[in-house]
Amino acid sequence: MICTSHLYISMCTAPIYLFSGRSVPARLLCAAPWTKILAILRNPIDRALSHYNFVHDWGRHKGKSFDFFVREDIQVLRRTGVVRNWELTNFTEFSGSAEEFNHWERYIHIAKGACPVGRGLYAIQLEIWFGEFNKINKSIAEDLLVLQSEETKANPRDAYRQAVEFLGLERRRADRHVLNRDHHATFYVHEGISNETYKLLYDLYEPYNKRLYRLLGEDIWGGVWDDE
């Protein structure tokens, strides 16, 4: 995520800012209500695997398999009431409710950043930001831009143009190295995902992805992470 103001530029590139519940947008918009927000979202399954490769040798994560890493977080999501049995709870009615957001705040408090699956529930996170925008009558269309990670890598020059125009910055000739598609290539330690874990993640994310597509516009986002 990149945060800019009309008075100065500050790079806030840590994804945790999107994930941190209501506290970050509330404080940010209180201190700098003119801020523009740019978020880049990646296929949540790929994001979870990338997360694993980033931390799997650290501290309490050391020695864990990707399958265990994923299932551990799903257990927390279920235990805190964020993810439920949708045959017993109406997903549409629960989505965006005060109850869901309360459970989400409990989840991020317990998970404390170690949340490879939860971070991919983008619809919940963006709806919290949308809600904070609405509280101060801040324009979502003008001050919040969400890009697809896959598209920015496939067409880096178009992504650069979009970002610069959105942020109101002077457009300059970008260095070839910056626009190189492999500049931030991911090198996976763990080769692939088991079919069982892939299906578990795909089924879990599917209703949230569809919710995201509706939130950001079916014309651009519809089906972007759906299997053929």
Side-chain angles (χ1 to χ4, degrees), residues 33-50:
W34 52 83
T35 298
K36 285 178 173 282
I37 305 297
L38 193 163
I40 302 176
L41 305 183
R42 181 181 188 180
N43 182 312
I45 297 178
D46 292 340
R47 201 223 67 81
L49 182 56
S50 179

Side-chain angles (χ1 to χ4, degrees), residues 126-185:
L126 283 174
E127 284 178 4
I128 290 173
W129 278 83
F130 281 22
E132 294 302 312
F133 268 49
N134 290 332
K135 285 180 182 179
I136 63 170
N137 295 317
K138 185 174 177 64
S139 172
I140 294 172
E142 293 180 7
D143 292 334
L144 193 150
L145 175 65
V146 183
L147 300 177
Q148 298 169 14
S149 175
E150 297 81 5
E151 183 63 25
T152 65
K153 291 179 180 178
N155 300 291
R157 293 188 182 280
D158 288 344
Y160 170 73
R161 175 188 53 77
Q162 277 185 278
V164 168
E165 291 178 357
F166 167 70
L167 297 172
L169 302 176
E170 179 183 351
R171 188 174 177 182
R172 300 184 179 182
R173 184 174 180 178
D175 187 284
R176 190 181 310 169
H177 177 64
V178 174
L179 295 178
N180 188 319
R181 296 180 187 181
D182 296 324
H183 180 49
H184 291 296

Side-chain angles (χ1 to χ4, degrees), residues 14-177:
I16 195 69
Y17 293 124
L18 179 63
F19 180 74
S20 297
R22 207 168 293 281
S23 60
V24 168
R27 292 171 183 174
L28 175 65
L29 297 178
C30 178
W34 52 83
T35 298
K36 285 178 173 282
I37 305 297
L38 193 163
I40 302 176
L41 305 183
R42 181 181 188 180
N43 182 312
I45 297 178
D46 292 340
R47 201 223 67 81
L49 182 56
S50 179
H51 189 149
Y52 171 76
N53 278 275
F54 188 63
V55 304
H56 81 287
D57 279 336
W58 296 4
R60 68 186 184 87
H61 303 300
K62 193 174 183 64
K64 291 181 182 178
S65 68
F66 178 68
D67 290 355
F68 183 85
F69 192 57
V70 163
R71 283 167 171 75
E72 183 180 47
D73 193 31
I74 291 176
Q75 287 180 358
V76 180
L77 283 163
R78 294 191 184 281
R79 193 168 68 245
T80 54
V82 175
V83 172
R84 302 181 172 204
N85 181 341
W86 302 123
E87 293 181 358
L88 302 177
T89 301
N90 186 299
F91 180 81
T92 302
E93 292 179 1
F94 184 68
S95 297
S97 65
E99 183 181 7
E100 181 188 48
F101 291 139
N102 287 337
H103 288 300
W104 179 257
E105 293 289 343
R106 181 170 175 238
Y107 164 69
I108 62 176
H109 176 73
I110 292 174
K112 299 186 184 302
C115 31
V117 180
R119 288 198 190 198
L121 301 179
Y122 303 128
I124 298 176
Q125 299 165 64
L126 283 174
E127 284 178 4
I128 290 173
W129 278 83
F130 281 22
E132 294 302 312
F133 268 49
N134 290 332
K135 285 180 182 179
I136 63 170
N137 295 317
K138 185 174 177 64
S139 172
I140 294 172
E142 293 180 7
D143 292 334
L144 193 150
L145 175 65
V146 183
L147 300 177
Q148 298 169 14
S149 175
E150 297 81 5
E151 183 63 25
T152 65
K153 291 179 180 178
N155 300 291
R157 293 188 182 280
D158 288 344
Y160 170 73
R161 175 188 53 77
Q162 277 185 278
V164 168
E165 291 178 357
F166 167 70
L167 297 172
L169 302 176
E170 179 183 351
R171 188 174 177 182
R172 300 184 179 182
R173 184 174 180 178
D175 187 284
R176 190 181 310 169
H177 177 64

